[in-house]
Amino acid sequence: MTEKHSPATGIIKSLGLVFGDIGTSPIYTLTVVFLLMKPPTYDNILGVLSLVIWTLVTLVTIQYALIAMSLSRRGEGGTIVLREILGSSLKSKKTVGFISVLSFIGVSLLIGDGVITPAISILSAVEGSLLIPGLEGLSKTNIVVISGIIAMGLFAVQSKGTEKVAGAFGPIMIVWFTSLSVLGILFISEAPQILYALNPYLGIKFLAENGLKGFITLGEIILCATGGEALYADMGHLGGRPIRQAWAFVFPALVLNYLGQGAFLLQHPESRNILFEMVFHSSRGLYIPFLLLSITATIIASQAMISGMFSIVYQGITTRIMPMFKVDYTSVERKSQIYLGSVNWFMLLSVLFIMVEFQESSRLAAAYGLAVTGTMTLTGIMMVWIFYLKKKPILSFISVVVTFVDMMYLGANFYKIPHGGYWSIILALIPFGMIILYTKGQKMLYKMMNFMPLEEFLHKFRRVYATNAKVNGTALFLLKDVKEIPFYITQTMFYHGILYEDNIFVSVIKRDDPYGIAGFFSPDLADGLRVFEVQMGYMEVVDVEEILREEGIEERAVFYGLEDIITSNPVWKIFHFIKRNTPPFINFYKFPAKKLHGVLTKVTM
């Protein structure tokens, strides 16, 4: 939930927790672009810089900071939020299903991007050590090993929570962005003609003159905007205002540095690692401190992406599109401070694999950008749809223009697929396949369950309650919908004869908005049978036990259903494996373990 704090504190936290990824893109963006666009002529440099600057304006400032961040639910943003907003405005189930698939793709691409970001950020920073006298001969293997050790250390501390170190992230990033700005101004002053790159015409001219090669270059230029989607996805942590205010500081810092890099390149067209060579050229004495600062900044960027992945997967769990992975809460005060061990170690193994597979940041750039542009395009499509339904023609038109730009960048990134971009797709297919399998499996499982209509159940319950002996006290029975009584309840009450004096059906309902909790009794269904409903935002961490205490409920036992899946179908066997190896939903509601009674139901799929 968004915290209340002073504007300055919010801005500083935003710098550390949101802008690490986009803030470290100057380390590799122009270096990668001009490995493709040889030679770096005057026209090429100004054309590329114009595209970089206006990409930041169009895709980050307009698409995310201005438009997307105006679409939220109780301050929460992201692809799943867009799905909730759009889904609530649509009537056709087929259309809602289509939107759901789009959001699943968006979430999966973000997760794939979350693996590549730490790899390319850390690798590119460690490669800067090659300019240190005596380390020029450092092999690719050594660079990968050093980067891998940094990555392992970063992922190893995730279980401790980032709360204690988060306060230091912001000040470090202030130093980083200030350094980028000063460095940029220094070299702009030596070649002020680079300021012509602020003219968008030069970018259009570059594309027109270079044809297919210029279009393919967009696939590398988009690296300057990677992390821009974090502005929207991380709204729930800090709120929209401090993120926008922080971007007002970050944007000019990035523009100044990119212009400075262009100015340096005009004077030193032979440069191969532009940002680090700028520092080395201007002050060798400050090079090692800057290198250490850049490595720290990339660690912060990676940390922000890891935390973002935890949030995305947690949204997937709470909206029931992902399995219920074990969640640990690392802060008493902040519900957003969570740790998912399975996600953490999956990401580490993937990051190490990507580092070993590509070995160089320039080669890794071939796999980077496809997931980002895919996410941006899907966000744009959903924004157009939402503003159209809300009858906001101006915002609809702007969203159409922005989405067209997104599609251009996405098209340019298709060129990367045979050159390593296929790894971006493979990485995204893993969570996408899991989401599709889990959602389809849950629907199939629900269909196969033997539910009893409420009227039929009440008829039997009244007869059994009036004639059978009852256990003293109150028992809770968890279920989704009171209108359909799951088999485990009828099995417990009617076949096993376990009937309490006071029986309460507890229904926990996820609302479309991210936050808010309400608990209340519905009218009694029968003598000895009551219904208690808990409504909660999909990002809430609910202590159902506490809510029940506030209503004066002191239960002796809590019953819930478990499914034992029997199947010969290989797909459903995978679904069964996932279900069996993830915690049951009851773990999310904090009931005392000694009161819990899981009732097993065999289901054939």
Side-chain angles (χ1 to χ4, degrees):
M1 188 176 292
T2 304
E3 295 178 336
K4 291 184 178 179
H5 38 55
S6 69
T9 303
I11 292 170
I12 292 171
K13 285 190 175 183
S14 296
L15 290 173
L17 297 177
V18 178
F19 293 101
D21 187 4
I22 196 169
T24 52
S25 58
I27 295 176
Y28 48 80
T29 299
L30 290 188
T31 294
V32 170
V33 169
F34 285 105
L35 284 175
L36 178 66
M37 286 304 300
K38 294 178 180 178
T41 63
Y42 177 84
D43 288 342
N44 283 348
I45 291 171
L46 264 66
V48 166
L49 281 175
S50 177
L51 288 170
V52 166
I53 292 165
W54 286 96
T55 297
L56 291 173
V57 171
T58 307
L59 300 189
V60 184
T61 304
I62 296 177
Q63 177 169 2
Y64 283 103
L66 296 180
I67 302 180
M69 290 176 69
S70 69
L71 296 171
S72 66
R73 285 272 173 102
R74 296 279 295 274
E76 190 76 21
T79 307
I80 292 178
V81 169
L82 287 178
R83 167 180 169 247
E84 299 293 332
I85 294 172
L86 191 51
S88 63
S89 303
L90 297 170
K91 296 179 180 178
S92 168
K93 287 186 177 181
K94 287 186 178 180
T95 309
V96 172
F98 174 70
I99 292 300
S100 294
V101 172
L102 283 185
S103 69
F104 297 164
I105 296 172
V107 167
S108 303
L109 289 172
L110 273 174
I111 293 173
D113 182 40
V115 169
I116 297 176
T117 295
I120 192 172
S121 298
I122 296 173
L123 268 177
S124 59
V126 174
E127 285 168 354
S129 60
L130 292 172
L131 293 177
I132 298 175
L135 297 180
E136 302 95 336
L138 203 62
S139 68
K140 292 179 184 178
T141 302
N142 288 333
I143 289 174
V144 171
V145 169
I146 294 169
S147 301
I149 290 171
I150 293 173
M152 286 189 284
L154 176 63
F155 281 93
V157 301
Q158 293 304 308
S159 60
K160 308 296 182 184
T162 59
E163 186 178 27
K164 294 180 180 178
V165 294
F169 286 178
I172 291 172
M173 293 308 291
I174 289 176
V175 175
W176 170 251
F177 286 120
T178 303
S179 301
L180 292 182
S181 301
V182 171
L183 199 59
I185 292 169
L186 178 65
F187 284 94
I188 290 170
S189 65
E190 295 182 6
Q193 66 268 31
I194 200 68
L195 293 174
Y196 286 119
L198 295 172
N199 184 351
Y201 170 73
L202 294 181
I204 298 171
K205 180 185 175 185
F206 170 84
L207 292 176
E209 290 180 349
N210 288 278
L212 179 61
K213 189 175 182 181
F215 179 71
I216 292 172
T217 305
L218 291 177
E220 312 299 344
I221 289 172
I222 191 60
L223 297 179
C224 73
T226 56
E229 68 279 5
L231 275 72
Y232 185 43
D234 287 340
M235 276 180 68
H237 291 294
L238 300 161
R241 178 177 290 182
I243 292 176
R244 285 192 179 104
Q245 291 171 334
W247 176 241
F249 167 70
V250 172
F251 174 67
L254 294 176
V255 170
L256 286 171
N257 189 260
Y258 280 123
L259 289 171
Q261 289 191 42
F264 179 79
L265 203 55
L266 285 175
Q267 299 171 306
H268 305 275
E270 74 286 352
S271 297
R272 293 181 58 82
N273 198 332
I274 302 170
L275 179 63
F276 289 114
E277 288 185 34
M278 285 171 69
V279 180
F280 194 76
H281 178 82
S282 61
S283 177
R284 294 192 178 190
L286 292 175
Y287 183 75
I288 292 179
F290 182 83
L291 176 63
L292 294 174
L293 176 64
S294 67
I295 292 174
T296 305
T298 58
I299 290 172
I300 292 172
S302 303
Q303 174 62 63
M305 183 58 75
I306 295 166
S307 300
M309 291 305 100
F310 290 164
S311 295
I312 289 169
V313 174
Y314 185 72
Q315 279 191 350
I317 293 170
T318 54
T319 51
R320 295 173 182 168
I321 66 171
M322 285 187 177
M324 293 201 171
F325 299 111
K326 186 177 184 295
V327 179
D328 294 313
Y329 301 93
T330 58
S331 170
V332 176
E333 292 81 15
R334 295 186 66 198
K335 293 176 181 176
S336 59
Q337 290 286 336
I338 57 177
Y339 170 73
L340 291 94
S342 53
V343 176
N344 186 65
W345 300 121
F346 165 77
M347 286 185 66
L348 173 59
L349 291 174
S350 301
V351 167
L352 294 176
F353 172 79
I354 289 295
M355 285 180 172
V356 172
E357 173 70 17
F358 287 90
Q359 297 196 338
E360 295 179 88
S361 62
S362 57
R363 290 186 62 219
L364 184 49
Y368 201 33
L370 187 63
V372 176
T373 50
T375 301
M376 289 178 170
T377 301
L378 291 171
T379 298
I381 290 171
M382 286 194 276
M383 288 194 313
V384 171
W385 207 331
I386 289 169
F387 288 128
Y388 171 76
L389 292 174
K390 290 188 173 186
K391 295 181 169 48
K392 295 184 176 181
I394 295 176
L395 289 175
S396 295
F397 175 74
I398 296 172
S399 298
V400 167
V401 173
V402 167
T403 305
F404 174 74
V405 176
D406 289 330
M407 288 179 173
M408 283 186 60
Y409 278 105
L410 179 61
N413 273 277
F414 284 151
Y415 173 79
K416 293 183 176 183
I417 293 176
H419 303 284
Y422 57 86
W423 279 114
S424 187
I425 298 173
I426 291 171
L427 290 169
L429 281 174
I430 295 172
F432 182 74
M434 178 174 285
I435 291 171
I436 293 297
L437 176 62
Y438 185 75
T439 52
K440 294 290 185 184
Q442 288 290 87
K443 286 181 180 178
M444 177 64 73
L445 184 62
Y446 193 79
K447 286 181 180 178
M448 301 303 293
M449 296 289 284
N450 186 14
F451 290 97
M452 182 179 288
L454 178 60
E455 289 303 318
E456 183 182 344
F457 172 82
L458 290 177
H459 177 73
K460 288 188 176 182
F461 177 84
R462 291 188 182 103
R463 188 177 70 245
V464 172
Y465 189 81
T467 58
N468 286 26
K470 292 173 279 294
V471 181
N472 293 332
T474 299
L476 307 181
F477 295 85
L478 303 184
L479 76 173
K480 289 182 180 179
D481 188 352
V482 177
K483 295 178 182 177
E484 294 180 316
I485 310 303
F487 179 70
Y488 94 85
I489 294 180
T490 59
Q491 183 183 3
T492 302
M493 290 183 173
F494 303 151
Y495 298 132
H496 297 160
I498 301 174
L499 206 63
Y500 280 72
E501 290 178 337
D502 184 23
N503 303 276
I504 302 177
F505 287 167
V506 178
S507 177
V508 181
I509 298 173
K510 299 282 186 181
R511 298 199 309 226
D512 289 340
D513 51 327
Y515 297 111
I517 301 172
F520 52 87
F521 277 106
S522 299
D524 292 357
L525 295 176
D527 186 23
L529 183 60
R530 299 187 287 167
V531 177
F532 187 78
E533 188 172 296
V534 179
Q535 294 187 356
M536 55 183 285
Y538 60 81
M539 283 296 286
E540 285 287 2
V541 181
V542 178
D543 189 337
V544 177
E545 182 82 355
E546 183 181 337
I547 296 172
L548 295 170
R549 294 294 167 271
E550 291 174 358
E551 295 294 328
I553 300 172
E554 293 283 349
E555 77 281 354
R556 287 187 63 184
V558 180
F559 293 90
Y560 64 98
L562 290 171
E563 301 87 20
D564 181 19
I565 300 172
I566 301 170
T567 181
S568 58
N569 186 309
V571 174
W572 296 137
K573 281 186 176 181
I574 298 172
F575 173 69
H576 181 214
F577 176 81
I578 293 172
K579 290 279 287 184
R580 190 176 59 195
N581 289 279
T582 51
F585 72 95
I586 194 73
N587 287 23
F588 278 69
Y589 298 137
K590 299 184 179 180
F591 285 106
K594 61 185 179 182
K595 295 182 179 180
L596 295 175
H597 299 276
V599 182
L600 201 65
T601 301
K602 290 188 179 294
V603 181
T604 302
M605 292 179 67

